[in-house]
Amino acid sequence: MNRKLASIYLTMLLDKRFMALREALVDFRQLFSFRKRVVSVFLQLDDPYSYLLSHYLESVMNRYGKKVEFRIYLCQGLSGAYTPQPGMLAEYSLADARRLADEFSIPFLDAGDTPTVEFRRPLLDFLAMEQDEEDFADTMISALAYYWRGDTEGVSKLLGRPGGGSDETNVLVGKNQLLLRKLGHYSCATLNYGGEWYWGVDRLLYLVRRLDGQKLNRYKDPIPELASMAEARKLKLPATAPATAKALPPLEFYYSFRSPYSYVALRSVFAIANAFGLKLDIKPVLPMVMRGMEVPRAKLLYIVKDANREAQRRKVPFGKIADPVGEGAERCIAAFFYAKTQNRQFDFVLEAGKAIFAEGIDLATDEGMQVVAERAGLFWPELQEGMKDEQWRHEVKKHRDELSELGLWGVPVLKIGDQAFWGQDRDWLLAHTIEDLCQSGEGIMV
């Protein structure tokens, strides 16, 4: 799709009036269908995020099950361009899920050192045979729990009778993958309701809020487990920086000017660095599509719509987009490195992000870049000259290599010492980690 046409389309898609009308039409159609609302849930046995999501499903279904039908599908996420680095993703997902489980007090590999991978195929065959049963949700939740707790005894009890054959399982999973694609997504640990997607425990609260808004909750009080999770995910910062924070390494922020999540994360990253008195080192990288990786349309649309949701939650301006891919991204990076020589890099990255994602200003043009330069306190003629310096290409390549060494490829990534956090929704976890480092003394530079 042409860059400018794509920008216009995305801006229309995120228009608040259009979004409200679309949601109202979906709700109206459901109301007069005289049928239960449907939430489609796609879960993958060997996906730790599916396990974390399943931990809360029983409580959610208990609250909304009278008026909402939860359809659970045994599935696998789409591969290829949707998952450009599957090995890296699997390794990082395990570490990330373990950290989340600790924060949310969810049992994780407490009955064994590793998932019960030796039972993966028998469990898949068993679950495929059970999917049409009325109690399949309970069966799937139990299977995920046994698998990700490393509970071989629990798995053995669940497999009390033989499952189906591998061919039947492959057909079923393939059928569910087609449904996942048809509905417009590519990943498991996801829920679809009324045309909207919610990924993992991180977005479950958005679904609950929508169901509550439609008065589908059996009770008036919130779900205790979700309230506890929401409290854990709040970004809590110290009033004054701990003295030991002075000895911590810099906070490194791998950033792409095309990444809406990177932009949405900016303010909270600045707040964390300021609260702990940390040196912040922003490390730009080229967009994925400029690094030889494809971003399918379904993935792009979900990312933009989800980032819009997150921006609203954080009260970050968002919605009028001018995609900077190509020359725009390169000019932004060149301008960033010039701004850094003037100690204006933080002003520049914030103003550039706002121009790209909230105001639809095209930074591939001199007119657009001049607006950002002036807002960031940069002298436009000097910036024009500074952008001619090609040294940034060497720095960007070094940043990409550093990401690969971390086992990551996407952004935003936040790193302190030897600990890395991928995603703008891990800012609270980063803050917890920094606080723990200050208290324990681990990672302190001496």
Side-chain angles (χ1 to χ4, degrees):
M1 191 185 296
N2 177 277
R3 182 177 68 87
K4 290 188 177 181
L5 288 178
S7 298
I8 294 170
Y9 173 69
L10 293 174
T11 297
M12 290 177 58
L13 190 70
L14 299 178
D15 181 80
K16 291 182 179 179
R17 290 168 297 180
F18 175 77
M19 292 176 65
L21 177 61
R22 183 180 58 192
E23 187 172 311
L25 287 173
V26 170
D27 293 344
F28 180 82
R29 189 162 56 246
Q30 288 180 332
L31 180 64
F32 287 93
S33 69
F34 301 103
R35 291 181 293 184
K36 272 189 173 186
R37 317 293 176 94
V38 175
V39 174
S40 299
V41 187
F42 295 86
L43 299 174
Q44 179 175 326
L45 178 65
D46 52 356
D47 168 32
Y49 296 124
S50 290
Y51 165 55
L52 297 183
L53 174 62
S54 74
H55 181 79
Y56 296 98
L57 277 181
E58 186 175 358
S59 297
V60 173
M61 290 188 295
N62 181 55
R63 288 300 178 101
Y64 304 99
K66 293 289 184 181
K67 299 180 179 179
V68 180
E69 179 184 354
F70 288 81
R71 295 178 183 171
I72 312 295
Y73 295 94
L74 174 66
C75 198
Q76 293 282 123
L78 303 183
S79 56
Y82 293 99
T83 312
Q85 299 288 347
M88 286 185 180
L89 179 61
E91 187 173 345
Y92 177 79
S93 297
L94 180 59
D96 185 46
R98 188 191 295 272
R99 287 191 294 212
L100 291 177
D102 288 343
E103 295 288 341
F104 300 153
S105 300
I106 298 175
F108 193 86
L109 296 180
D110 59 323
D113 295 331
T114 60
T116 56
V117 292
E118 67 272 23
F119 287 102
R120 178 182 176 276
R121 189 73 235 186
L123 274 173
L124 285 173
D125 292 341
F126 173 76
L127 291 169
M129 185 182 68
E130 293 287 314
Q131 182 168 294
D132 291 332
E133 299 296 325
E134 288 187 8
D135 62 347
F136 179 67
D138 295 334
T139 303
M140 186 74 201
I141 291 170
S142 296
L144 281 162
Y146 293 142
Y147 188 88
W148 284 104
R149 292 184 64 184
D151 188 349
T152 56
E153 183 178 346
V155 172
S156 298
K157 289 181 179 178
L158 189 64
L159 297 174
R161 55 194 176 96
S166 296
D167 290 342
E168 291 88 344
T169 302
N170 294 340
V171 169
L172 177 68
V173 171
K175 179 181 176 182
N176 292 342
Q177 280 184 312
L178 288 176
L179 178 61
L180 178 70
R181 184 194 291 267
K182 180 181 178 181
L183 292 176
H185 214 278
Y186 50 92
S187 180
C188 292
T190 48
L191 308 98
N192 179 273
Y193 175 69
E196 293 297 322
W197 284 96
Y198 308 87
W199 178 78
V201 294
D202 300 276
R203 304 296 184 266
L204 182 57
L205 293 169
Y206 285 126
L207 171 62
V208 167
R209 185 173 67 186
R210 185 171 178 189
L211 296 177
D212 284 346
Q214 296 173 349
K215 303 187 186 306
L216 299 173
N217 193 336
R218 296 173 61 193
Y219 309 103
K220 293 182 179 180
D221 58 314
I223 301 173
E225 296 87 349
L226 294 187
S228 177
M229 179 181 67
E231 182 62 28
R233 292 181 65 228
K234 285 182 179 178
L235 179 59
K236 302 180 181 72
L237 298 174
T240 57
T244 49
K246 295 179 181 179
L248 288 175
L251 177 58
E252 299 169 79
F253 185 15
Y254 293 88
Y255 185 94
S256 166
F257 283 94
R258 197 199 186 206
S259 163
Y261 289 135
S262 292
Y263 162 64
V264 170
L266 274 174
R267 293 185 182 184
S268 64
V269 173
F270 290 167
I272 292 170
N274 289 334
F276 287 98
L278 299 173
K279 177 186 176 183
L280 176 60
D281 188 4
I282 297 179
K283 297 187 169 185
V285 297
L286 286 169
M288 288 175 60
V289 294
M290 297 175 67
R291 289 182 271 142
M293 288 180 251
E294 183 183 352
V295 180
R297 182 175 181 273
K299 189 171 185 176
L300 174 64
L301 292 180
Y302 174 74
I303 288 172
V304 172
K305 291 168 71 175
D306 183 57
N308 181 55
R309 236 177 358 202
E310 286 289 277
Q312 290 181 24
R313 177 176 70 87
R314 295 173 179 269
K315 296 181 173 56
V316 172
F318 195 93
K320 192 174 181 182
I321 297 175
D323 189 352
V325 68
E327 185 181 2
E330 292 191 341
R331 286 164 57 88
C332 282
I333 295 175
F336 169 84
F337 279 102
Y338 170 77
K340 195 171 182 179
T341 67
Q342 307 300 304
N343 199 29
R344 289 284 183 177
Q345 68 270 31
F346 303 125
D347 301 292
F348 176 79
V349 77
L350 187 59
E351 292 298 339
K354 186 168 66 172
I356 292 167
F357 292 107
E359 299 173 322
I361 297 176
D362 188 356
L363 299 190
T365 67
D366 281 349
E367 294 81 2
M369 188 62 78
Q370 184 174 357
V371 170
V372 170
E374 292 172 353
R375 290 178 179 177
L378 297 168
F379 185 48
W380 170 238
E382 291 183 358
L383 177 58
Q384 274 186 304
E385 189 64 28
M387 285 194 296
K388 296 177 182 178
D389 188 346
E390 295 280 307
Q391 180 62 24
W392 66 265
R393 296 187 185 276
H394 172 73
E395 293 298 317
V396 164
K397 181 182 182 304
K398 185 170 70 173
H399 298 164
R400 178 182 179 178
D401 291 341
E402 290 171 2
L403 268 182
S404 295
E405 290 174 7
L406 293 172
L408 295 168
W409 68 96
V411 293
V413 169
L414 293 157
K415 176 177 176 287
I416 185 161
D418 60 356
Q419 299 202 51
F421 303 82
W422 183 13
Q424 56 82 29
D425 44 19
R426 295 293 182 265
D427 55 349
W428 61 275
L429 192 52
L430 169 68
H432 284 195
T433 300
I434 295 172
E435 190 171 27
D436 290 343
L437 291 175
C438 290
Q439 294 174 355
S440 68
E442 293 182 20
I444 301 294
M445 296 191 302
V446 293

